């Protein structure tokens, strides 16, 4: 009897369709229409992406506000070898991005040619997908704003 | 947001409404709201079956069905998992079982299952107790109209042609009647049960 | 409060256990743990396990492993889709409720059939984050840069943590990464996900562990020097990365406070830091003094990271050192979720 370990491919797929509720729904509606929303907390600061409840006080949040389509890289990591399901098949940076008008950051991809072009605090702007449906990937990613434009 | 606010909310206070009305920015006034989003998950594994199931699957390639015996109670489990739930211990012996047995219970499926176009309704799924086994396992009753299947009916395995055999339980295409007299089941309460006190 | 102690512990960790199913490799561990204190399953007042269906690629995968306990006739049993340390917490609470004086706890994970770092993307927010599939290394790398550029830690310090884990792991037969490496050799490694290097990452393993808990006099009968649980607490930070301060761990600090870590000296600490960055944050959050406390004498999760068991293994490693008299007071820690999102802290003492 062979001692070789038997093996077989096993692929799990969950074709989830999730209800959004009014807050996440508004954010995704915005993405479809080329608008990015945050939500205002009692102290006036803005969470982006928006959440239904304040993470510190558990107060329900209801006031969705538009934030900017450019912002600042809070932190980043260079992804030299993208994994199969990730947003881009060439090396890119993962980043937490704080958009103008928001006080918290969102995770997304930054399309930079190399790690040398990335830095904390750099300015980036959204790159929209042409076909949009109300999904986080309606944002294809972010791209660096050349310094000459920010100056 | 690093402030340390461990006791920010009174845990005894009534929870706030789960979906308070929201206000939208001007840019979204009148927009058709998105209410659901498709976020499929796909994960690829390379499954390895372990010792007992590997033995079972290799034997399948030779048209043999292996079970395993519980050392404490003598009961024989199929498919084998390497462990006896009665003893909470590794099984003690590999047992070769006949490819004949009887239908302990069954159902008839009349609606198709997505992604299984090979299963044409109506078809009969049965819990089949092999000769020499203490518990039943799942199979399809074939070569017979589903309405004619009955509890106690004797069946035998219908194997794939030899040239198509693999290390797979799919080698058994289904189970067909042997024509022998039915197994006489006197105690229906016992169906589907195993008990620690069994021999 | 009922005094409860860890009285038995077994473990197995290997880079990949491809020839055995989960229940096949857990049965000997379960039997050995119970036999080491002369107990069988029928002696157990309660049984609780921790595992994950997403690792197994199979819904309700844990029920197959319960067969290994001997659940016929049915036993008093529960399961958490969490590290086994949380199963131990549930068992501890169950004993506090009264009526039983023993409990059996186990945790296991066989992540080698899939790609663990990618599977862990599914623990992220399902609307905003998971659809982008950031793997667990990428997410930790974001926290690592914040820590490095914010001056919270240096690359050398991270390399020192990695070198210490490798050195300690040399005497741990269950470690899967124990080749010694100097700090300079580690600093010379190429980045995997800049700023993380290979030695900053967990050494992924398959395996599991089993623990027996006993209360009061029962513990004293079963074990010469029981490892008494003097405090235990678990806390969670917010789920959304963007609202958290990733350069500290509020939940680990609070759990340590409530478990009473600072009430006395700590001889040794077994911390479940999957990354060097996480170990650094934990030492700070738990307020440990590295001069007086042996940190991760087993090598920790950097030396062998068995998803769903590494936390319970920390408790077992700490307890077995108390049995042996290597220390009188130990801290064990378990984590779950991205960037130390949830943390459990357990204080163990010998008489």
């Amino acid at each position: 009897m062979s001692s070789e370990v038997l093996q077989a491919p096993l692929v799990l797929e969950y074709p989830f369709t999730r209800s959004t509720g009014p807050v996440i729904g508004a954010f995704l509606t915005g993405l479809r229409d080329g608008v990015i929303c945050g939500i205002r907390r009692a102290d006036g600061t803005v969470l982006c992406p928006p959440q239904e409840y304040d993470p510190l006080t558990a107060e329900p949040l209801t006031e969705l506000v538009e934030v900017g389509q450019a912002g600042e890289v809070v932190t980043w990591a260079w992804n030299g070898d993208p994994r199969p399901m990730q947003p881009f098949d060439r090396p890119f940076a993962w980043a937490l991005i704080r958009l103008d008008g928001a006080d918290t950051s969102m995770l997304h991809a930054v399309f930079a040619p190399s790690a040398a072009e990335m830095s904390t605090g750099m300015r980036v702007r959204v790159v929209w997908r042409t076909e949009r449906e109300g999904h986080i990937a309606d944002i294809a990613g972010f791209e660096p704003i050349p310094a000459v434009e920010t100056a | 947001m690093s402030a340390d606010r461990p006791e920010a909310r009174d845990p005894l206070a009534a929870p706030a409404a789960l979906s308070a009305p929201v206000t939208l920015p001007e840019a979204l006034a009148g927009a058709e709201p998105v209410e659901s989003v498709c976020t499929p998950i796909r994960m690829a594994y390379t499954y390895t079956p372990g010792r007992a199931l590997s033995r079972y699957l290799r034997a399948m390639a030779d048209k043999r069905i292996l079970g395993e015996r519980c050392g404490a109670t003598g009961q024989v489990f199929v498919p084998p998992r390497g462990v006896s739930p009665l003893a909470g211990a590794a099984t003690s012996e590999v047992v070769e079982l006949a490819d004949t047995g009887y239908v302990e219970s069954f159902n008839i499926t009349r609606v198709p299952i997505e992604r299984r176009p090979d299963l044409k309704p109506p078809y009969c799924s049965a819990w089949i107790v092999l000769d020499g086994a203490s518990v039943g396992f799942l199979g399809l009753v074939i070569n017979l109209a589903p309405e004619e299947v009955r509890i106690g009916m004797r069946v035998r395995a219908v194997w794939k042609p030899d040239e198509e055999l693999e290390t797979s339980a799919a080698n058994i295409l289904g189970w067909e009647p042997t024509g022998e007299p039915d197994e006489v089941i006197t105690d229906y309460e016992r169906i589907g049960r195993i008990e620690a006190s069994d021999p | 409060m009922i005094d409860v102690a860890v009285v038995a512990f077994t473990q197995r960790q290997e880079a990949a256990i491809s020839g055995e199913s989960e229940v096949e490799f857990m049965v000997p561990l379960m039997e050995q743990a119970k036999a080491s204190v002369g107990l069988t399953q029928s002696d157990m007042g309660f049984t609780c396990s921790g595992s994950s269906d997403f690792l197994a690629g199979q819904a309700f995968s844990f029920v197959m492993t319960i067969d290994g306990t001997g659940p016929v006739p049915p036993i008093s049993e529960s399961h958490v889709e969490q590290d086994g340390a949380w199963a131990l917490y549930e068992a501890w609470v169950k004993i506090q409720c009264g009526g039983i004086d023993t409990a059996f706890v186990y945790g296991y994970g066989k992540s080698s059939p899939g790609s663990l770092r990618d599977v862990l993307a599914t623990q992220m927010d399902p609307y905003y984050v998971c659809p982008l599939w950031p793997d667990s290394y990428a997410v930790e790398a974001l926290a690592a840069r914040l820590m490095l550029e914010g001056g919270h830690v240096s690359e050398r310090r991270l390399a020192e943590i990695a070198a210490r884990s490798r050195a300690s792991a040399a005497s741990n037969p269950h470690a899967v990464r124990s080749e010694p490496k100097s700090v300079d050799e580690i600093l010379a490694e190429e980045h995997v996900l800049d700023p993380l290097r290979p030695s900053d990452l967990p050494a992924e393993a398959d395996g599991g562990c089993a623990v027996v808990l006993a209360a009061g006099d029962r513990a004293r009968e079963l074990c010469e020097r029981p490892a008494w649980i003097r405090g235990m607490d678990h806390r969670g930070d917010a789920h959304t990365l963007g609202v958290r301060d990733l350069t500290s761990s509020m939940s680990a600090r609070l759990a340590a406070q409530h478990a009473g870590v600072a009430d006395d000296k700590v001889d040794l600490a077994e911390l479940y830091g999957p990354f060097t960055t996480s170990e650094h944050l934990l030492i700070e959050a738990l307020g440990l003094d590295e001069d007086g406390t042996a940190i991760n004498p087993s090598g920790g999760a950097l030396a062998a990271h068995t998803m769903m068991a590494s936390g319970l293994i920390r408790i077992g490693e700490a307890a077995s050192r108390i049995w042996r008299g290597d220390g009188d007071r130990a801290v064990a820690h378990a984590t779950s979720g991205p960037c130390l999102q949830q943390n459990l802290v357990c204080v163990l003492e010998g008489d």
Side-chain angles (χ1 to χ4, degrees), chain C residues 87 99 113 124 153 188 198 216 221 285 289 345:
Chain C
M124 309 297 287
V153 73
E221 281 163 34
D289 165 18
V345 176

Side-chain angles (χ1 to χ4, degrees), chain C residues 87-175:
Chain C
L88 181 138
Y89 185 90
E90 183 175 337
W92 178 69
V93 170
K94 184 91 172 173
I95 293 176
Q96 296 303 331
C97 294
I100 58 170
D101 61 1
T102 52
F104 183 55
V105 183
Y106 59 96
Y108 62 93
K110 181 170 163 177
S111 54
S112 64
S115 169
L116 180 59
R117 60 188 280 199
D118 297 313
V119 168
L120 288 178
T122 58
Q123 72 184 334
M124 309 297 287
D125 179 293
Y127 296 95
Y128 296 151
V129 183
C130 178
L132 305 173
W133 287 84
D135 60 280
S136 58
Y137 298 175
V139 172
E140 184 65 24
L142 293 171
R145 184 175 307 282
L146 277 172
M147 292 169 63
L148 287 163
E149 294 188 0
H152 301 274
V153 73
S154 67
E155 295 196 46
R156 176 158 288 274
R157 160 73 171 160
L158 296 180
E160 284 165 0
I161 289 173
R164 174 172 69 195
S165 162
R166 286 167 174 272
S168 304
S171 54
N172 178 0
H174 304 287

Side-chain angles (χ1 to χ4, degrees), chain C residues 14-242:
Chain C
E14 289 173 27
I17 304 179
S18 52
E20 290 157 76
S21 67
E22 288 89 335
V23 67
E24 284 173 336
F25 71 70
M26 284 307 293
V27 160
L29 292 178
M30 294 173 170
E31 283 180 343
Q32 286 157 24
K34 290 180 265 195
S36 71
V37 285
L39 298 183
T40 63
Q41 185 62 41
S42 58
D43 298 312
M44 297 299 168
F46 182 61
T47 296
C48 197
S49 60
S51 70
S52 165
D53 288 350
F54 270 26
L55 297 191
Q58 189 177 6
F60 294 97
S61 58
F62 71 93
V63 296
M64 304 237 283
T65 311
I66 290 173
D67 277 0
T69 66
V72 182
I75 58 173
S76 172
E77 174 273 332
S78 179
H79 173 264
V80 296
E81 189 84 5
Q82 271 278 33
D83 186 286
W86 274 264
L88 181 138
Y89 185 90
E90 183 175 337
W92 178 69
V93 170
K94 184 91 172 173
I95 293 176
Q96 296 303 331
C97 294
I100 58 170
D101 61 1
T102 52
F104 183 55
V105 183
Y106 59 96
Y108 62 93
K110 181 170 163 177
S111 54
S112 64
S115 169
L116 180 59
R117 60 188 280 199
D118 297 313
V119 168
L120 288 178
T122 58
Q123 72 184 334
M124 309 297 287
D125 179 293
Y127 296 95
Y128 296 151
V129 183
C130 178
L132 305 173
W133 287 84
D135 60 280
S136 58
Y137 298 175
V139 172
E140 184 65 24
L142 293 171
R145 184 175 307 282
L146 277 172
M147 292 169 63
L148 287 163
E149 294 188 0
H152 301 274
V153 73
S154 67
E155 295 196 46
R156 176 158 288 274
R157 160 73 171 160
L158 296 180
E160 284 165 0
I161 289 173
R164 174 172 69 195
S165 162
R166 286 167 174 272
S168 304
S171 54
N172 178 0
H174 304 287
V176 303
R177 184 200 281 148
S178 56
E179 317 76 48
K181 254 193 177 187
S182 71
V183 170
D184 288 331
E185 282 171 322
I186 290 168
L187 286 171
E189 289 177 356
E190 262 186 56
H191 291 122
V192 182
L193 253 147
D194 187 348
L196 293 177
R197 299 185 166 85
S199 288
D200 292 316
L201 308 177
E204 307 299 1
D206 291 346
C209 64
V211 162
V212 177
L213 295 181
D217 290 341
R218 193 74 192 276
R220 289 181 195 95
E221 281 163 34
L222 297 172
C223 183
E224 202 172 308
R225 190 176 198 236
W228 299 106
I229 297 171
R230 293 299 183 209
M232 185 153 50
D233 193 50
H234 68 90
R235 302 266 161 163
D237 279 294
H239 192 228
T240 308
L241 290 178

Side-chain angles (χ1 to χ4, degrees), chain B residues 37-119:
Chain B
V37 58
C38 187
T39 55
I41 281 178
R42 183 181 191 280
M43 288 178 292
Y45 302 84
T46 302
Y47 179 75
T48 54
R51 272 196 306 259
L53 272 179
S54 292
R55 263 197 304 268
Y56 174 77
L57 293 170
R58 284 187 205 285
M60 278 277 167
D62 303 327
K63 298 202 283 191
R64 295 185 304 131
I65 304 173
L66 298 185
E68 286 183 357
R69 193 184 307 278
C70 168
T73 65
Q75 294 217 340
V76 173
F77 299 102
V78 63
R81 303 281 179 195
V83 63
S84 163
L86 297 173
T91 38
S92 62
E93 188 191 344
V94 178
V95 181
E96 183 156 350
L97 298 167
D99 68 350
T100 53
Y102 67 92
V103 171
E104 191 178 54
S105 185
F106 67 95
N107 66 39
I108 299 171
T109 305
R110 300 185 187 276
V111 289
I113 296 178
E114 210 185 327
R115 300 199 197 195
R116 285 301 301 272
D118 55 314
L119 289 175

Side-chain angles (χ1 to χ4, degrees), chain A residues 4 8 10 14 18 29 32, chain B residues 32 34 37 41 45 47 58:
Chain A
E4 199 182 313
L10 170 68
Y14 299 92
R18 295 175 178 278
T29 303
R32 184 197 62 200
Chain B
E32 179 69 24
V34 170
V37 58
I41 281 178
Y45 302 84
Y47 179 75
R58 284 187 205 285

